Amino acid sequence: MSIGHTLLGLLESGPRHGYDLKRAFDEKFGHDRPLHYGQVYSTMSRLLRNGLVVVDGIEAGSGPERKRYAITDAGITDVQRWLATPEKPEPYLQSTLYTKVVLALLTHRDAADVLDTQRSEHLRSMRILTDRKRKGDLADQLICDHALFHLEADLRWLELTAARLDKLREAVAR
């Protein structure tokens, strides 16, 4: 996820302080990984340096000065370009799990155990996500669906690999 683009997009609704941006980010996107304040302010400094935001005001308080940021026309254009650019699909061609299965076979360990252990962990994660989805709002439901679909694809791969272990053992032994 591009944190910079996300913060710019949040600024399109109006100027905000770094604290407000962090809170909005965490509420909408940071359920599992909230932003650190340092991450917000370093990102805002970079966006400011690149002309994508401006300081719209500074307020003195009991602590450090609070800068209010506003998106520039260049920032709006940058967000639009980012939204219009498709994300590159990320095939898992260098899967750690595949490596573990092959190494188990090469070292004469039980690769089926590796697959079974992973299947159990996937199912445990799916139960947690399903429960979270049941209790969550629409945004959380969609996030959980995305993760669940990926886990389901992984489970299909685990089953396929388990069915082909004998052939894989022969192929890697060569």
Side-chain angles (χ1 to χ4, degrees):
M1 175 190 315
S2 171
I3 294 169
H5 286 110
T6 306
L7 295 177
L8 283 172
L10 290 171
L11 281 173
E12 282 201 48
S13 64
R16 296 181 191 213
H17 296 97
Y19 173 83
D20 297 326
L21 284 167
K22 180 201 174 342
R23 196 174 70 230
F25 181 97
D26 289 351
E27 181 183 303
K28 300 288 184 200
F29 311 108
H31 294 279
D32 297 317
R33 278 199 204 167
L35 284 180
H36 297 286
Y37 284 106
Q39 201 172 9
V40 172
Y41 292 111
S42 65
T43 301
M44 295 312 295
S45 292
R46 182 177 45 80
L47 296 173
L48 185 63
R49 190 174 52 250
N50 292 339
L52 302 175
V53 298
V54 294
V55 174
D56 187 54
I58 298 177
E59 298 172 11
S62 59
E65 293 179 333
R66 292 183 47 181
K67 294 178 185 174
R68 187 175 57 241
Y69 299 95
I71 193 168
T72 63
D73 288 341
I76 292 170
T77 300
D78 198 52
V79 171
Q80 181 58 37
R81 183 175 31 252
W82 179 67
L83 291 173
T85 304
E87 291 297 309
K88 182 179 184 234
E90 296 183 28
Y92 299 102
L93 296 179
Q94 291 298 321
S95 167
T96 303
L97 183 54
Y98 173 77
T99 302
K100 286 182 173 187
V101 170
V102 171
L103 282 175
L105 293 172
L106 288 172
T107 59
H108 307 290
R109 290 181 173 91
D110 192 348
D113 283 349
V114 173
L115 294 169
D116 288 342
T117 301
Q118 191 62 49
R119 184 181 305 104
S120 294
E121 184 61 20
H122 270 60
L123 291 171
R124 186 187 71 74
S125 292
M126 291 175 80
R127 282 190 297 275
I128 291 168
L129 285 166
T130 300
D131 185 54
R132 177 177 163 182
K133 177 182 165 181
R134 213 175 297 127
K135 296 174 183 173
D137 61 9
L138 178 59
D140 212 31
Q141 291 170 12
L142 290 171
I143 289 167
C144 290
D145 279 338
H146 186 263
L148 285 164
F149 293 153
H150 281 275
L151 290 170
E152 287 173 6
D154 287 349
L155 282 176
R156 287 194 309 269
W157 182 85
L158 291 167
E159 295 300 324
L160 178 67
T161 303
R164 294 179 174 177
L165 270 181
D166 290 337
K167 289 181 181 179
L168 183 59
R169 183 177 291 108
E170 290 173 18
V172 300
R174 291 181 201 163

